Amino acid sequence: MPMSDEEIFEKVKETLVDALGVDDDEVTPDATLTGDLGAESIDFLDIVFRLEKTFSIKIPRGELFPDNILNNPEFVQNGKLTATGLAQLKQRMPHADFTNFEQDPDINKMAELFRVQTIVNYVKTKVA
Amino acid sequence: MRWIWIDRFIEFVPGKRAVAVKNISLAEEHLHDHWEAYPVMPASLMIEGMAQTAGILVGQARDFKEKVILAKITRAEFDDVAVPGDQLSYDATIENVAPEAASTKGIVLKNGQPFGRVDLMFSHIDNNLGGLKFPEENFVFTGQFERLVAPFLEQASG
């Protein structure tokens, strides 16, 4: 039987509490990983390791948290994602909500794509 | 000089688990200031002892080709203090090794009794840090570290 959204969220929450040392009530679906929960780069790997174990899934590198976007001049110009860059990122992150970000794809605001719900959405596609 | 915080390995299972011991001695000067009236082993140095035990385990898993750097103290809890005359054991197990990083779980024992838990993450820095370049030579695993583990590896290779 597939896991319910709620079960996935609870397990993701537990994972983030352990990986980031945050309190239960800080982990809301809307919380951003870096801004609200204080995640740093090594934490993203820690989160990937833990999700793989918790859900018995394989997470190919760059799939949950895409890499090689910001260092490509075709994708970034003047601190913003180009139309091509944005399209590329959307294609690679179907699990993220781009509603706000695509209004102003400033790379400094990219962190807002990485929310707790983003992880939940991603895990859903893996355990389905 | 490297500040080495483990005396020797007593178990080393490549790619899986390592146990190192550290005998705490009042001859160690840092204990005279920490503290004069009541010398105790600083928790930070017990974390370093675990980092060296686990870091060598992680390094050996990739044949000492990666530069393994402590990147995150995921957990560090101690229920008690350790004082001169105590023997510490750092029991480290590899949880994950990926191209760019590794994670370990560890138990710290005092005279054979568990009293602390230290979980760590290590970065393989050549595969990380946004493409920054580091010196070719492996400045992490120099002779002293390798000599600590050498007897076990010789044994394993027959």
Side-chain angles (χ1 to χ4, degrees), chain B residues 20-86:
Chain B
V21 295
K22 154 77 187 159
N23 293 305
I24 305 173
S25 162
L26 199 50
E28 293 167 41
E29 272 190 51
H30 65 97
L31 293 174
H32 301 179
D33 299 318
H34 190 276
W35 291 277
E36 194 177 352
Y38 184 54
V40 299
M41 183 71 172
S44 53
L45 292 179
M46 293 193 281
I47 297 170
E48 175 63 22
M50 179 62 82
Q52 294 184 357
T53 306
I56 292 172
L57 178 65
V58 166
Q60 196 278 329
R62 293 276 161 116
D63 212 12
F64 297 113
K65 291 198 168 64
E66 299 286 354
K67 299 178 186 100
V68 176
I69 296 289
L70 178 62
K72 175 176 175 179
I73 300 167
T74 312
R75 171 158 83 153
E77 297 168 348
F78 297 99
D79 307 328
D80 198 358
V81 295
V83 299
D86 284 336

